[in-house]
Amino acid sequence: MDFIVGTWSFCYDAIKQGEEMFRNQTNCMDTIEKTINYIEEDELYGPCIVGRGGPPNSAGYREYDAALMDGATLRFGAVTALRGIPNAVSVARAVMERSPHSMLSGEGAGLFAKGQGFISRETPTPQNTQVPGGGHDTLGVIAVGQDRNLAVGVSTSGAPGKHPGRVGDSALPGGGLYANPQGAACCSGDGDEILKFCPSFHIVHLISQGRSPQDACEEVVQNIYRQNKHMEIAVIAADIKGQYGACSTVQSWTDPLTQKQYPGFPYVIWSKDLSCPEIKVAPTIS
């Protein structure tokens, strides 16, 4: 890999533990899947609203949304409202690579996953929708290979206490993520509002027109903020030139695992030239 960008400071350990693999890894999809799996499969990350420990919906079940997109080919795979299978990004990849479809949802996503050997271990849980530490709702990862190919992936257990079957922006192409041969982007925040603006598509479109990822992120977030000053959104982006960017409307954020407070949206960057990943805070539009 050339470099990796991830949303929120809680993805630091997932990126840190994969450093050696990244230096020798050439497949962007493998990199993204393994990084996201690290968090999805550890219930300690539940307060981050991702994976096995994430909060249940109003019926007491966990339903996951996840997606992957390859920039070079525009191949896309997603699952939404996938019940009881926390490594949802792997199911999304299976949809992309082993089915004629691009997205499967609800019961159909579950049937497909079980047919591919994924195991559901879900039983109803108490409906405690309180998320300690103000955790956030989408893990997003962008990987850029040394061959300048790039890809993006996302995973979430969705809004705490959501209605069964609710789907936010995360797994929707153009909304929660997007990639083309020039760039990739993903976002996190209020999914019911974000999906109205297709921010990831707009960011990548600007990158394709020659804008830097940072400029593209800032322009899109600023345009959204003009229309909805109460919406929370955080975005990251990267291009094939090796540039990356981030922006948000987040004023402050407390990592639910470390309790460290950040003056804005913290994201993680790793590159082959860094000795270890770095946590950066994105510019805030307000």
Side-chain angles (χ1 to χ4, degrees):
M1 288 298 101
D2 198 359
F3 69 92
I4 298 164
V5 193
T7 57
W8 307 108
S9 54
F10 64 76
C11 75
Y12 180 92
D13 286 345
I15 292 175
K16 173 70 175 173
Q17 64 84 34
E19 275 189 283
E20 196 59 40
M21 176 190 74
F22 300 155
R23 295 187 188 279
N24 301 312
Q25 180 62 264
T26 58
N27 187 304
C28 291
M29 286 293 175
D30 288 348
T31 296
I32 290 170
E33 181 181 12
K34 289 175 183 177
T35 301
I36 293 178
N37 281 164
Y38 180 91
I39 292 175
E40 286 179 324
E41 294 170 358
D42 187 341
E43 64 182 13
L44 294 179
Y45 285 92
C48 306
I49 317 187
V50 179
R52 188 179 303 281
N57 63 19
S58 62
Y61 290 94
R62 292 181 177 88
E63 289 184 337
Y64 305 100
D65 301 340
L68 288 158
M69 189 165 187
D70 179 73
T73 64
L74 301 186
R75 288 195 308 163
F76 177 83
V79 289
T80 61
L82 174 68
R83 180 173 291 186
I85 301 175
N87 48 338
V89 77
S90 295
V91 183
R93 185 173 184 181
V95 171
M96 181 177 68
E97 296 180 343
R98 305 177 208 163
S99 86
H101 308 298
S102 292
M103 179 181 287
L104 295 175
S105 187
E107 182 182 0
L111 289 171
F112 172 81
K114 291 170 186 175
Q116 296 295 315
F118 294 93
I119 299 172
S120 174
R121 292 177 287 272
E122 189 75 353
T123 56
T125 58
Q127 297 174 35
N128 175 16
T129 60
Q130 298 300 311
V131 179
H136 241 280
D137 65 349
T138 300
L139 168 64
V141 178
I142 299 170
V144 181
Q146 295 178 16
D147 59 359
R148 294 309 189 208
N149 187 26
L150 44 70
V152 59
V154 298
S155 182
T156 180
S157 57
K162 63 187 178 181
H163 192 282
R166 177 265 187 185
V167 175
D169 71 296
S170 298
L172 303 183
L177 76 166
Y178 196 74
N180 72 10
Q182 285 76 46
C186 61
C187 56
S188 182
D190 184 349
D192 291 293
E193 293 297 319
I194 289 173
L195 57 76
K196 301 173 184 178
F197 294 93
C198 298
S200 293
F201 173 81
H202 286 299
I203 290 169
V204 173
H205 182 62
L206 288 172
I207 291 172
S208 299
Q209 292 179 324
R211 302 289 292 278
S212 73
Q214 186 60 47
D215 286 348
C217 287
E218 291 183 18
E219 179 171 328
V220 169
V221 173
Q222 201 153 44
N223 286 340
I224 291 172
Y225 181 75
R226 288 193 192 104
Q227 298 178 69
N228 186 341
K229 290 183 167 56
H230 305 291
M231 187 178 111
E232 190 165 272
I233 181 173
V235 299
I236 59 173
D239 66 16
I240 56 171
K241 300 175 184 176
Q243 302 179 103
Y244 61 90
C247 188
S248 83
T249 61
V250 177
Q251 300 292 317
S252 66
W253 186 75
T254 302
D255 189 307
L257 302 183
T258 66
Q259 299 307 308
K260 181 174 180 178
Q261 188 168 11
Y262 293 90
F265 162 53
Y267 66 101
V268 180
I269 177 74
W270 174 89
S271 79
K272 62 182 187 303
D273 300 321
L274 292 174
S275 58
C276 64
E278 294 181 356
I279 298 175
K280 296 179 178 288
V281 176
T284 299
I285 302 297
S286 62

